[in-house]
């Protein structure tokens, strides 16, 4: 891979957003990276529900592939994010993918 130094006018390559407040959240690094990936996904492919709130459908196997982690690790990280109040999963029917709502820290502070 070819690298170059940054100067003031260097355009950034495609990046994923990560609120600074996430760095202080007591969750695993995998959960933090997952949050950035989920936030990126909702910004690019989010679907509005009947209330106009964005959600995504992102199966665990696809999250695992996107993060190069095992499905079990991804399930654990999703649980961490949900318990920390950073995402909300709404279960659908049996065999259906849950709707994932991304919650943003109010005022830049994580819960």
């Amino acid at each position: 891979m070819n690298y170059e130094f940054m100067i003031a006018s260097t355009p950034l390559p495609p990046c994923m957003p990560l609120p600074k407040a996430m760095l202080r959240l007591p969750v695993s690094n995998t959960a933090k990276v997952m949050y950035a990936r989920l936030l990126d996904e909702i910004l690019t492919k989010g679907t509005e529900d009947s209330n106009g709130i964005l959600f995504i459908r992102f199966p665990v196997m696809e999250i695992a592939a996107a993060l190069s982690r095992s499905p079990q690790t991804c399930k654990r990280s999703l649980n961490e994010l949900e318990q920390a109040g950073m995402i909300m999963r709404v279960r659908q029917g049996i065999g259906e993918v849950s709707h994932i709502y991304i919650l943003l820290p109010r005022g830049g502070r994580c819960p």
Side-chain angles (χ1 to χ4, degrees), residues 36-73:
R37 182 64 180 91
L38 294 173
L39 191 54
D40 183 61
E41 187 77 8
I42 206 164
L43 291 172
T44 58
K45 299 178 185 173
T47 303
E48 284 188 17
D49 66 10
S50 60
N51 296 315
I53 300 171
L54 291 175
F55 70 90
I56 51 174
R57 292 180 191 96
F58 207 165
V60 171
M61 294 303 287
E62 288 182 26
I63 295 172
L67 298 179
S68 298
R69 298 287 182 265
S70 72
Q72 200 59 26
T73 297

Side-chain angles (χ1 to χ4, degrees), residues 73-91:
T73 297
C74 290
K75 288 177 188 177
R76 194 170 30 254
S77 294
L78 283 168
N79 287 333
E80 282 184 79
L81 290 172
E82 194 165 33
Q83 289 173 357
M86 297 307 296
I87 66 170
M88 183 175 77
R89 290 183 284 179
V90 177
R91 310 283 191 270

Side-chain angles (χ1 to χ4, degrees), residues 15-28:
C15 299
M16 290 185 290
L18 181 67
K20 288 181 183 179
M22 284 296 295
L23 299 177
R24 294 187 306 272
L25 196 66
V27 296
S28 68

